[in-house]
Amino acid sequence: MENLTAGQKLDRAVDKLGEQRSLTFELGLDTDAATLQALDAEAKPEDKMPDEAAELLSGARISVSVESKRPLQDSGDKDFSAMALKFSGPKGDLFEYRLIGDDAYIRVNVDSFTQLSGVPMPGADQLPAQAGALKKLFAGDWIKVSAADLRKTGEEMARGEDDGDGESAASGKPTASPSLGPQAQKKLMKDLRRVVVKEVEFKSAGGSDGTEHVTATAPFRTLLSELLDEIRPLTRQLPSGGGLPTDDDLKDAPNKKVTADFTLKNGALSDVSVDLAPLTEKAKGKELALVLHTVKGTRTTAPAGATEVRMDELMEGFFGGIMGGALDEGDYTDDES
């Protein structure tokens, strides 16, 4: 029987995930609202975390599902046939997005957002006629849009230095999205693994029913700084989005050791829990962890009864119905507005 180190077991467990063609995982915090609010107990009253925000963060869950025609580790953008993202809070689902082929489906729970934020939002029946297709979204109904149009709109809104036609404002030529080539990607992964092997201490503990725990412990600031040092030379090839933090930016970050607990079931990665309590003295003795659960991929299906709309209709509804004065600003404080 092959005798593997704890690090090798974890590597193989991650590889097993990559061999699958579908995967679903859920990410959330294992803590309570009181613990989160204790983190900034010494802050000024106006800077303290509101009750609604603490409740949202402590009960929030992000669920992601992906499906591919090929093993996930070998998949490119064109291989993914479906994906889904759902953001849930303690009051229920807040937002859900599904991508199936060329179509994207979106649903928003405006009532849940209102309860959590404490800021009143109009119901679908309160929106003016100019809101158009946006009424469906505010009513909590599923809407269906072209995935290509949705992506194009997002790119246009994010492209601050370009004009609305996807051309550089300076040259008038289409802008290219920077990306890393296959060789650069392989070198980056090799360099990052070298840092992890050097800085992280792995331990393994057996369990029952094919379950095993692998813990990885490392000083937080040291590990983060060295990982960023490996990525930094490649930033010119990466999509723009601001520079990476420097060592000077990280000097005040805690350098206490943080431990991640990986649960392996029959050699495959099942759960990950990262203990964040050592990063703050105020959470001492209380549970504060970032938790990720992985499960066998669930099939993403198109929701029944979705209303097909165009992106330009939604944008016209937003700027004409909401930004154009659908809400009576006199009913809100400056912060709420």
Side-chain angles (χ1 to χ4, degrees):
M1 184 176 180
E2 190 175 7
N3 187 21
L4 301 176
T5 66
Q8 289 172 329
K9 290 178 181 178
L10 183 55
D11 271 348
R12 292 199 175 185
V14 173
D15 288 341
K16 278 195 172 185
L17 288 183
E19 294 167 1
Q20 300 181 27
R21 295 173 184 262
S22 63
L23 178 67
T24 297
F25 63 86
E26 182 184 85
L27 182 68
L29 284 174
D30 186 7
T31 189
D32 55 28
T35 299
L36 291 177
Q37 289 180 305
L39 299 181
D40 62 352
E42 298 176 2
K44 296 179 180 179
E46 62 270 20
D47 295 330
K48 288 187 177 181
M49 183 180 297
D51 294 344
E52 296 84 3
E55 183 182 3
L56 170 60
L57 290 174
S58 65
R61 296 291 181 270
I62 298 175
S63 175
V64 178
S65 297
V66 292
E67 296 177 37
S68 176
K69 303 169 187 175
R70 305 174 64 193
L72 295 176
Q73 62 190 9
D74 302 322
S75 295
D77 290 343
K78 295 182 179 179
D79 296 315
F80 291 100
S81 56
M83 66 180 299
L85 182 147
K86 182 166 65 174
F87 178 40
S88 304
K91 304 292 186 180
D93 295 341
L94 281 81
F95 172 82
E96 192 166 358
Y97 169 84
R98 299 181 191 179
L99 177 63
I100 304 173
D102 297 327
D103 300 315
Y105 300 85
I106 304 170
R107 179 173 63 176
V108 179
N109 189 329
V110 175
D111 289 340
S112 291
F113 272 113
T114 298
Q115 293 175 23
L116 285 169
S117 65
V119 177
M121 297 183 71
D125 58 346
Q126 296 175 298
L127 293 176
Q130 303 95 295
L134 198 65
K135 285 191 173 187
K136 288 287 184 180
L137 202 60
F138 268 62
D141 296 338
W142 279 102
I143 62 169
K144 172 183 175 182
V145 298
S146 162
D149 289 347
L150 180 62
R151 183 165 49 249
K152 180 181 177 182
T153 300
E155 290 172 351
E156 290 176 349
M157 294 178 68
R159 192 188 298 122
E161 69 276 14
D162 298 339
D163 63 21
D165 297 323
E167 297 181 350
S168 169
S171 66
K173 297 180 181 179
T175 56
S177 297
S179 61
L180 292 178
Q183 293 302 319
Q185 292 181 36
K186 289 181 180 179
K187 182 181 183 305
L188 176 60
M189 292 308 299
K190 182 178 179 180
D191 291 341
L192 294 181
R193 283 198 175 204
R194 176 178 53 78
V195 171
V196 169
V197 169
K198 183 179 73 169
E199 297 294 344
V200 178
E201 176 187 354
F202 294 97
K203 290 184 179 180
S204 177
S208 58
D209 299 326
T211 300
E212 186 171 7
H213 289 272
V214 172
T215 59
T217 304
F220 178 74
R221 186 177 66 242
T222 300
L223 179 60
L224 182 59
S225 178
E226 294 205 17
L227 290 175
L228 289 175
D229 284 345
E230 297 297 338
I231 299 173
R232 208 178 311 280
L234 300 172
T235 52
R236 291 183 179 179
Q237 303 177 51
L238 295 172
S240 59
L244 295 175
T246 64
D247 288 344
D248 191 55
D249 294 329
L250 298 173
K251 65 181 181 181
D252 293 328
N255 205 34
K256 294 182 179 180
K257 289 188 175 182
V258 175
T259 298
D261 186 305
F262 300 85
T263 302
L264 280 54
K265 289 189 177 180
N266 299 319
L269 183 63
S270 172
D271 301 287
V272 183
S273 177
V274 183
D275 183 13
L276 301 177
L279 298 181
T280 171
E281 296 179 357
K282 298 181 179 64
K284 187 175 181 180
K286 297 182 180 181
E287 191 79 17
L288 179 59
L290 183 66
V291 180
L292 182 145
H293 302 288
T294 66
V295 297
K296 185 177 180 180
T298 56
R299 187 165 182 78
T300 300
T301 59
T307 301
E308 187 168 2
V309 300
R310 301 192 315 272
M311 278 304 302
D312 58 347
E313 289 181 295
L314 284 180
M315 298 307 292
E316 288 172 5
F318 178 75
F319 288 107
I322 301 297
M323 300 300 289
L327 303 181
D328 182 0
E329 295 184 4
D331 294 337
Y332 300 89
T333 66
D334 289 342
D335 289 341
E336 289 174 341
S337 298

